[in-house]
């Protein structure tokens, strides 16, 4: 099966796309069983009536509206036939518990929602007589409402506002929702004047066509940038390099200038004034401390600048590799245009799963055994005993299956890019490399992505639990406990990011050699360690270039928005539309350029494997693209010059720290 302690061959013989077999089959079976468990929870909520209670609603005595009900032991007025009473009516719909997010009011099943305001108990009686819909508790007779002493506790709070039923969930909802202002206050706390909110909403409604157009513009710009970034990556990299170097030199120079100027000022002041008084001595001491602090800052900045310049000097060839990889990644999207649809497919899959998960969670909220609330005396349904762990199981499913969907995207992209890289004649690529990659994933490697996503889940769950504990204890814990919690959360976050990166490369290794997850992760880790400086350069420079690309898309979209919204002279109405457009533009740019980043990472792993096991000689020809071949040739030319300079022509010297072997004399890299 292949695991971390597997007895598989220790020296990997990479055979790209040659052999294909099922990987991590036990994990596929485990994931299948887990998904069956998730489906069983859904079935349980249907079978026990939780889904029906959510959709049709239930009253405060445990009766589901719109159907016959069985008697609940110990609960009076339960087991009623509510076939003709299909709507849920709350006696006090404005009694809202914001913390528990529910209405703290008696609920009844009624046949008709009151469509007019009822101001007196005589109006309640008239409504019950004319419509057959009694709005007081079931044990009270409708024709006696005005005279019954229980009317103050078991009848709706007067005046009863007019209401309408919701389209799907049959609840009588007040037409005037002003009584829900507490929710608005909790959500829109920053609005002190209702006119401001109204103006912002009016600006969005007046500009909805422009907002949609700008969102489409951001989408188009992202797709275009993925293709042309290979032409502008070199310019962006040199802009980055120049900005960082000049910025560090300027910052260091300013600190030294401030130190010298402050020192001269202090010396001049001390030479003119006496320091015999207590205040003068304290001022002189403070001036010397400030000068000492500036000296420390200047020295630290100098050390940082020197280290930065040395890193730039030693990593300049790695930066050239980053540019070459960006160039090849642009070609990948030209040959595999369907890659641009991957973010849409992944988002759609996640959205459908999240909708299903949320629906089942709502079903669980109305599933379980009937329990009387000690505070209100009303009947509620709660999961008790072992059944309460279904909610935790469902929560784990949210994380694991979401990570599984993201891992499937990474494996699909890796498979397509691997096919592109290791196909020597790009004109002979499969007709649909993306579809072929999806089919390989479904046939052979679902167990691998299930195992990789489970490892991420194991790290994510403790981090989320600690974040929840930290939020619950905010303001109550001491400084030491707060610091420890934040440290643990930060460490788990860093571990999660590292594992995500390793998993992505493990999926690429699986796509190449069809090995199990642990074997692929080990092989990918060895390759990455052998190319540590290259990895650092690609991640540092590449991430910054992609960040600049995101900023470019957001600023371009925002600028177009300013031009299009210029017809609205009320500039306050620009704010919300521009915020919406910029957020959408950043989200779209992040999705597309993250896809570009995955392609670059997979290309680098393929390149590292190619240069490690091939040298361009007959029988061991390179698979790489022309741009990468030029990079290899330039590196070897520099290496030959260095070898002749050291007068050691027979020594086999590696390119960039023992990462490539030179080609045999007389061979070409074509």
């Amino acid at each position: 099966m292949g695991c971390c302690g597997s007895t598989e061959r220790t020296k990997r013989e990479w055979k790209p796309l040659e052999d294909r077999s099922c990987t991590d089959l036990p994990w596929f079976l485990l994931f299948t069983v887990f998904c069956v468990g998730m489906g069983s929870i859904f079935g349980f909520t249907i079978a026990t009536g939780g889904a029906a209670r959510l959709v049709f609603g239930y009253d405060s005595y445990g009766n589901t509206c719109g159907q016959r009900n069985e008697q609940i032991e110990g609960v009076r007025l339960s087991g009623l036939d509510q076939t003709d009473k299909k709507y849920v009516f709350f006696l006090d719909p404005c009694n809202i518990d914001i913390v528990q997010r529910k209405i703290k009011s008696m609920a009844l099943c009624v046949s008709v929602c009151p469509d007019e305001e009822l101001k007196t108990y005589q109006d309640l009686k008239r409504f019950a007589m004319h419509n057959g819909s009694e709005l007081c508790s079931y044990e009270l007779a409708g024709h006696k409402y005005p005279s019954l002493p229980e009317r103050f506790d078991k009848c709706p709070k007067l005046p009863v506002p007019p209401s309408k039923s919701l389209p799907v969930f049959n609840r009588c909802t007040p037409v005037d929702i002003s009584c829900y202002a507490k929710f608005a206050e909790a959500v829109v706390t920053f609005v002190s004047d209702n006119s401001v909110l109204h103006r912002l909403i009016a600006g969005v409604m007046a500009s909805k066509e422009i907002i949609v157009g700008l969102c489409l513009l951001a989408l188009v710009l992202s797709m275009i940038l993925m293709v042309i970034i290979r032409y502008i990556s070199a310019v962006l990299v040199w802009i980055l390099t120049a900005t960082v170097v000049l910025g560090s030199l300027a910052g260091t120079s300013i600190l030294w200038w401030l130190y010298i100027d402050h020192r001269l000022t202090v010396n001049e002041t001390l030479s003119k004034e006496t320091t015999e008084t207590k205040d003068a001595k304290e001022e002189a001491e403070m001036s010397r401390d400030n000068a000492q602090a500036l000296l420390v800052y200047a020295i630290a900045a100098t050390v940082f600048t020197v280290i930065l310049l040395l890193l730039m000097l030693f990593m300049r060839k790695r930066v050239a590799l980053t540019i070459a990889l960006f160039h090849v990644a642009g070609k990948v999207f030209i040959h595999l245009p369907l890659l641009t649809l991957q973010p849409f497919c992944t988002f759609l899959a996640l959205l459908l799963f999240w909708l299903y998960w949320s629906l089942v969670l709502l079903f669980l909220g109305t599933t379980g055994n009937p329990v009387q609330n000690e505070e209100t005396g009303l009947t509620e349904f709660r999961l008790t005993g072992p059944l309460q762990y279904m909610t935790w199981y469902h929560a784990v499913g949210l994380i694991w299956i979401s990570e599984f969907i993201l891992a499937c995207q990474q494996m699909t992209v890796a498979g397509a890019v691997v096919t592109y890289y290791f196909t020597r004649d790009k004109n002979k690529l499969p007709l649909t490399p993306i579809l072929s990659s999806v089919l390989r994933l479904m046939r052979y490697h679902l167990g691998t992505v299930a195992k990789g996503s489970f490892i991420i889940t194991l790290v994510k769950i403790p981090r989320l639990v600690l974040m929840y504990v930290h939020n619950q204890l905010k303001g109550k814990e001491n400084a030491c406990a707060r610091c420890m919690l934040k440290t643990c959360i930060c460490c788990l976050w860093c571990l999660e990011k590292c594992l995500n990166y390793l998993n992505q490369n493990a999926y690429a290794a699986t796509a190449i050699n069809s090995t199990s997850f642990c074997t692929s992760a080990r092989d990918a880790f060895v390759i990455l360690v052998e190319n540590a400086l290259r990895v650092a350069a690609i991640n540092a420079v590449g991430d910054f270039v992609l960040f600049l690309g995101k900023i470019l898309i957001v600023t371009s979209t925002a600028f177009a928005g300013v031009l299009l919204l210029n017809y609205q002279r009320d500039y306050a109405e620009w704010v919300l539309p521009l915020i919406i457009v910029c957020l959408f533009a950043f989200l779209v740019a992040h999705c597309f350029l993250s896809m570009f980043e995955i392609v670059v990472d997979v290309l680098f792993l393929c390149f590292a494997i190619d240069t490690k096991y091939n040298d361009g000689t007959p029988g061991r020809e390179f698979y790489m693209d022309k741009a990468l071949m030029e990079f290899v040739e330039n590196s070897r030319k520099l290496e030959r010059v260095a070898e002749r300079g050291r007068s050691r022509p027979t020594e086999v010297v590696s390119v960039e720290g023992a990462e490539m072997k030179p080609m045999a004399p007389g061979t070409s890299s074509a």
Side-chain angles (χ1 to χ4, degrees), residues 297-314:
Y297 297 154
I299 293 175
T302 303
V303 173
F304 173 79
T305 302
V306 171
I307 293 175
L308 183 64
L309 292 175
L310 290 175
L311 285 175
M312 290 290 183
L313 179 64
F314 286 114

Side-chain angles (χ1 to χ4, degrees), residues 608-642:
I609 294 169
D610 194 12
T611 53
K612 182 175 181 179
Y613 294 98
N614 298 309
D615 58 8
T617 58
R620 298 179 63 186
E621 295 85 358
F622 288 123
Y623 290 93
M624 66 185 66
D625 189 87
K626 182 179 178 181
L628 293 173
M629 195 78 72
E630 291 176 354
F631 166 78
V632 172
E633 286 296 321
N634 293 333
S635 299
R636 287 178 170 174
K637 288 178 182 177
L638 294 174
E639 184 175 305
R640 293 190 193 101
V641 173

Side-chain angles (χ1 to χ4, degrees), residues 240-262:
L240 163 65
T241 304
T243 303
V244 171
V245 171
L246 293 177
S248 59
L249 289 174
T252 303
S253 302
I254 290 173
L255 284 174
W256 279 112
W257 177 78
L258 288 175
Y259 167 71
I260 294 172
D261 181 68
H262 190 77

